[in-house]
Amino acid sequence: MLYFAEVVERGGFAAAGRALGLPRSRLSRRVAELEARLGARLLQRTTRKLSLTEVGEIYLRHCSAMRDEALAAGEAVAQLQVEPRGTLRISCPVTLAQSTVGYLVPRFMALYPLVKIDMRVTNRVVDLVEEGVDIALRVRTTLDDSGSLVVKNLGASTGQLLASPELLRRQGMPATPEELNKLDTVAMSWIDGRAAWTLLGPDGREFVLQHQPRYVADDLLTLKLAMLAGTGMSFLPDSLSAAERQAQLLVPVLPGWTLRAGVAHAVFPSRRGQVPAVRSFLDFLGEHMRGEMLV
């Protein structure tokens, strides 16, 4: 009954197999055995998709209810455990994992020795339900696109527009936003060879800088190396550029102007938020990330 509910709700045997850690063939065989015992077909199988029969729709409601009750019972027992345990499956953007979160995870695991962590370090947006992920960490300018997931705000990301002294000697220091176009740039993404940054000024003024980056890479550490070499200017989070700014290897360009702040946050399915290991990890991040300079 659990297998049947997972297959339907995840849209197929392959996705359910990944979530349950079982081979697709075993799931298909078990659902077929269930249909044989019931004497009724629950699923219409085609080469492209699965669909429920009328009997399957009725049966699914009972299977889902039993599964949810079983999960709730397990979580109720887990909440009585003094110490969180089990495997946490987390996705995290590359730069966040290589900086703030990368330092915090070992500290969390030292506090909770029965917890194991399986972290997927990727800039790709993961589907938590489809891929069996407990928590996805993200940094975005808005929290409005998280759908039905629960969101925990972890703090704001701050940064500056920076360039190497060599680049500024070669191409000049801009005095106004309009003069930024005389500097080469590097960026994390572009569309048809162009990128746009919305800059916010100290007086509330906005300026959209349209530019053609010389170098595009979806990793801030990689871009920082290019900036240090004088390839172009870009924005870097404060936490990723503190040492370089102190050594004046990178210097602010157009001080007072910055990108819109990003919001570091965690998203997770509602039912997972009550599992002790998940709850403890979210509380730990909330305590140690809020108010810090984040990526």
Side-chain angles (χ1 to χ4, degrees):
M1 294 174 74
L2 168 65
Y3 294 164
F4 169 65
E6 291 290 329
V7 166
V8 174
E9 294 186 4
R10 295 182 187 275
F13 289 98
R18 287 192 294 270
L20 295 168
L22 295 173
R24 176 178 178 172
S25 58
R26 183 184 302 178
L27 280 181
S28 180
R29 185 170 63 252
R30 294 296 294 275
V31 172
E33 291 171 356
L34 175 64
E35 290 177 317
R37 287 200 302 271
L38 293 172
R41 182 172 293 278
L42 303 175
L43 294 170
Q44 295 288 0
R45 298 167 175 81
T46 68
T47 56
R48 292 189 175 181
K49 66 176 183 177
L50 294 177
S51 60
L52 285 168
T53 64
E54 183 178 355
V55 173
E57 290 179 359
I58 297 172
Y59 195 66
L60 175 65
R61 290 198 291 271
H62 294 281
C63 292
S64 297
M66 291 185 66
R67 180 199 56 193
D68 292 343
E69 284 299 316
L71 287 170
E75 291 169 2
V77 171
Q79 289 179 31
L80 298 177
Q81 296 174 340
V82 176
E83 197 167 7
R85 64 188 66 215
T87 300
L88 274 180
R89 294 173 176 83
I90 302 166
S91 75
C92 184
V94 174
T95 309
L96 193 60
Q98 293 176 347
S99 56
T100 309
V101 172
Y103 291 106
L104 290 178
V105 166
R107 292 166 57 186
F108 172 81
M109 298 185 75
L111 289 174
Y112 301 102
L114 298 182
V115 175
K116 298 179 180 179
I117 289 185
D118 176 2
M119 182 178 288
R120 305 174 189 183
V121 180
T122 176
N123 291 332
R124 179 179 60 84
V125 178
V126 303
D127 184 318
L128 279 74
V129 176
E130 172 85 11
E131 301 180 46
V133 173
D134 298 308
I135 302 170
L137 301 177
R138 297 171 178 171
V139 181
R140 296 180 180 172
T141 56
T142 177
L143 305 181
D144 296 336
D145 57 353
S146 298
S148 61
L149 298 170
V150 182
V151 178
K152 182 179 180 66
N153 190 326
L154 299 173
S157 168
T158 59
Q160 299 182 53
L161 186 59
L162 302 172
S164 70
E166 191 276 331
L167 177 72
L168 296 175
R169 281 194 299 269
R170 192 172 71 241
Q171 299 185 333
M173 172 68 84
T176 66
E178 290 76 10
E179 293 181 4
L180 288 171
N181 276 309
K182 66 184 182 181
L183 295 183
D184 291 332
T185 60
V186 299
M188 289 192 69
S189 63
W190 61 4
I191 298 176
D192 297 329
R194 300 190 64 84
W197 294 333
T198 300
L199 311 182
L200 305 178
D203 55 357
R205 180 184 166 203
E206 287 194 3
F207 177 80
V208 178
L209 175 63
Q210 301 280 351
H211 58 108
Q212 295 177 290
R214 288 197 62 208
Y215 182 21
V216 174
D218 63 351
D219 172 45
L220 285 175
L221 289 175
T222 300
L223 290 182
K224 183 171 75 170
L225 295 176
M227 294 169 66
L228 289 168
T231 305
M233 71 168 177
S234 192
F235 280 90
L236 283 180
D238 291 336
S239 60
L240 194 63
S241 60
E244 289 78 12
R245 285 184 286 112
Q246 185 174 1
Q248 296 191 328
L249 298 173
L250 294 173
V251 298
V253 178
L254 212 63
W257 287 82
T258 184
L259 284 181
R260 192 180 305 278
V263 180
H265 58 286
V267 295
F268 54 95
S270 58
R271 71 181 187 186
R272 298 297 300 163
Q274 298 306 311
V275 176
V278 172
R279 189 175 62 250
S280 297
F281 186 72
L282 292 170
D283 290 345
F284 181 84
L285 290 184
E287 177 184 354
H288 291 86
M289 289 179 68
R290 187 173 298 278
E292 295 185 6
M293 292 183 293
L294 304 174
V295 173

